[in-house]
Amino acid sequence: MPMKRKKLGGAASRRGARTRRGVSRARPPLVALALMAVAILSLPNAGGCGGGGGYRDLIETLEARAGTISTLRYTCVTEDGERLYREEFELAFPDRYRYRVYEDRGGSARLASAVEQRGEAFFRTRATYSESGALEKVESETAFNVPPLRNGGKYLGLYHLIGNADYFHSILSLLEGGSLELRGKEEVEGAPAYRLDSAAGLTPRMQIWLDAETGLPLRKDLFLGEERKVVFRFQGYEEDFPYPELPFLPDTRTLFGNEGAAVNPLESDGGCRSLDLPDAASLVGFDPLIPTLEGFELTGARWRDPAASAPASGGQSIQYPEGFRELYLLYRDGMRQVEIRESPYDPDFAYYTMGLGTLTGAYLAQQETFGEEAGGASYTAALDCQEMHLVAGDLEITATGDLSRDAFADLAAQLVELASSRE
């Protein structure tokens, strides 16, 4: 069966996916400003190299860089008309980061939000300021035992999460699928860079410049219509530095520099619990499929009763089928990680959802259907992230992480084979 690909721009990545319910995401204020409908087009068969040169060199750079960075520190400065933001990132792959976003008000930057993840624990805090600029209120949220599936809530759900293997492979997929086209080499932000343009017909139109040596972004321009252009400048990259081991929960009052501000804390339990695989069937009510991934080691398994877990803040209540449980598998290879969620398949219960918060935030996504051997699995590559979903036997499965597109296809085929061997 041939593989089918679709290009999606912006909020059009919602099409072909079931509706996401009750997802709370960490993203800068800018991202929430525009979620727009765009056309879904069939992809050409071309390799995505457009009219530019150096395509093979770029592909080799991205392939060579995937999974090689242990820690990464950088800043993203966003210009949206008169609004200016600065985002500071400190990442330790595969599952730790610190993030701060500052708003510029009259030449003075003030901290708007801070987010941190340490494994399956998550912390976020936001500040509310008065018209005069005085700090009025601080809200904080702490969640433990968060389900380990990226793009689907709190876990590794950060906008502009670059530098991991997932990032490099997503760019490769968008290039090879034709959603991004190489236009050549230019100098930008004082460095030689590959310029990539979103394919004709995709809106909003986007241009990205990747550092010719590292493959990391230097600049991204987003054209939102009516002469509005948002510019992202990535600065101060530092790789493989010693990640500071600071206390996980920072003091919110100290963080915002005003110990007199009111703090409204919220704490929740994501409901994931460790298990030994021999006990899995008795806890989740089904026999899990346990694939093997070349180079990876299965380092952990979790189970969850989502009906008994606290919903995400602002989320809606979901009526789960009786006895519905989830199983999560974590695979590690150095700085790379793969996450797999398995749950009972029920055609009358539309539980599976794509990680729409990240995918629409990226403003560029591409969907593909793998062939019959891979069970017709759907594969989505968005800017900075990937996701695969399939039904294998009586299980619904979602996989995310630091794999290439071909490795996701191989994983889907293996899961289908494991399910078929039980029939």
Side-chain angles (χ1 to χ4, degrees):
M1 180 180 296
M3 297 183 183
K4 302 176 183 179
R5 289 178 174 174
K6 292 181 181 180
K7 291 184 291 188
L8 300 89
S13 56
R14 278 188 274 257
R15 304 177 184 179
R18 301 177 193 170
T19 303
R20 168 156 293 282
R21 307 174 187 177
V23 172
S24 174
R25 303 198 53 78
R27 59 168 69 187
L30 172 69
V31 178
L33 297 178
L35 290 176
M36 57 210 67
V38 298
I40 301 179
L41 306 174
S42 297
L43 276 177
N45 293 324
C49 53
Y55 179 75
R56 177 45 49 190
D57 290 339
L58 172 58
I59 294 297
E60 290 177 353
T61 297
L62 295 172
E63 290 175 339
R65 292 280 287 166
T68 63
I69 303 175
S70 62
T71 58
L72 184 65
R73 180 186 286 142
Y74 61 98
T75 298
C76 178
V77 176
T78 301
E79 300 175 15
D80 181 9
E82 296 182 355
R83 305 182 71 174
L84 185 67
Y85 305 94
R86 187 177 82 249
E87 300 167 79
E88 297 177 352
F89 298 78
E90 211 169 53
L91 314 171
F93 301 115
D95 66 349
R96 292 183 294 166
Y97 68 79
R98 296 187 184 94
Y99 167 77
R100 306 285 187 268
V101 57
Y102 297 84
E103 297 176 336
D104 185 276
R105 299 294 182 186
S108 176
R110 66 188 189 193
L111 182 62
S113 179
V115 184
E116 186 169 343
Q117 178 183 311
R118 180 175 294 185
E120 289 155 55
F122 173 90
F123 170 79
R124 171 174 50 210
T125 183
R126 297 188 182 98
T128 300
Y129 294 89
S130 67
E131 288 294 327
S132 65
L135 181 63
E136 292 184 331
K137 183 176 65 175
V138 175
E139 298 175 298
S140 69
E141 177 187 7
T142 305
F144 299 96
N145 306 309
V146 172
L149 191 75
R150 65 187 77 185
N151 314 329
K154 299 177 174 63
Y155 192 87
L156 294 179
L158 194 64
Y159 190 55
H160 294 329
L161 184 59
I162 63 176
N164 57 354
D166 197 13
Y167 157 78
F168 288 104
H169 288 309
S170 71
I171 298 293
L172 282 164
S173 289
L174 293 171
L175 276 167
E176 293 173 347
S179 295
L180 283 176
E181 298 177 348
L182 176 61
R183 294 305 185 191
K185 255 185 169 181
E186 301 176 356
E187 184 163 312
V188 67
E189 307 298 327
Y194 293 102
R195 176 184 149 192
L196 312 179
D197 286 12
S198 55
L202 293 183
T203 56
R205 185 165 66 90
M206 183 184 299
Q207 294 178 331
I208 307 171
W209 288 264
L210 302 183
D211 187 285
E213 181 178 352
T214 68
L216 295 171
L218 295 174
R219 174 171 168 164
K220 179 170 66 177
D221 288 6
L222 191 62
F223 300 86
L224 298 176
E226 298 181 355
E227 300 183 352
R228 180 185 173 197
K229 180 173 74 170
V230 182
V231 178
F232 306 83
R233 290 185 170 86
F234 299 84
Q235 306 168 347
Y237 284 115
E238 183 181 352
E239 295 185 24
D240 302 330
F241 63 93
Y243 188 74
E245 297 297 340
L246 303 176
F248 169 62
L249 295 178
D251 187 321
T252 53
R253 297 174 189 263
T254 303
L255 190 64
F256 289 95
N258 187 338
E259 302 210 2
V263 178
N264 297 326
L266 174 67
E267 185 170 313
S268 62
D269 186 338
C272 271
R273 301 290 183 262
S274 296
L275 60 76
D276 294 324
L277 282 177
D279 302 327
S282 62
L283 289 171
V284 299
F286 58 84
D287 290 322
L289 300 177
I290 311 297
T292 58
L293 300 177
E294 184 178 355
F296 285 82
E297 178 185 357
L298 178 60
T299 59
R302 312 282 188 272
W303 77 282
R304 179 175 180 252
D305 176 0
S309 303
S313 57
Q316 302 174 9
S317 176
I318 300 175
Q319 296 299 315
Y320 294 93
E322 183 68 27
F324 186 89
R325 301 290 186 269
E326 300 171 326
L327 174 76
Y328 291 87
L329 303 173
L330 271 71
Y331 293 79
R332 286 277 182 91
D333 173 24
M335 285 82 75
R336 298 192 300 160
Q337 179 174 285
V338 176
E339 308 89 29
I340 299 175
R341 181 184 67 192
E342 301 181 2
S343 58
Y345 174 62
D346 183 343
D348 297 323
F349 177 60
Y351 179 59
Y352 164 68
T353 53
M354 290 171 53
L356 290 179
T358 296
L359 302 187
T360 56
Y363 292 102
L364 183 63
Q366 174 178 285
Q367 236 175 25
E368 178 178 353
T369 300
F370 292 152
E372 184 176 351
E373 184 181 75
S378 68
Y379 165 76
T380 304
L383 209 58
D384 310 341
C385 60
Q386 307 167 95
E387 180 174 296
M388 183 189 74
H389 171 256
L390 77 156
V391 174
D394 58 357
L395 295 181
E396 192 163 22
I397 301 171
T398 304
T400 57
D402 299 316
L403 294 177
S404 67
R405 172 223 170 264
D406 290 345
F408 273 113
D410 290 343
L411 172 60
Q414 184 184 166
L415 289 165
V416 169
E417 184 178 354
L418 286 172
S420 298
S421 67
R422 295 180 177 179
E423 298 177 355

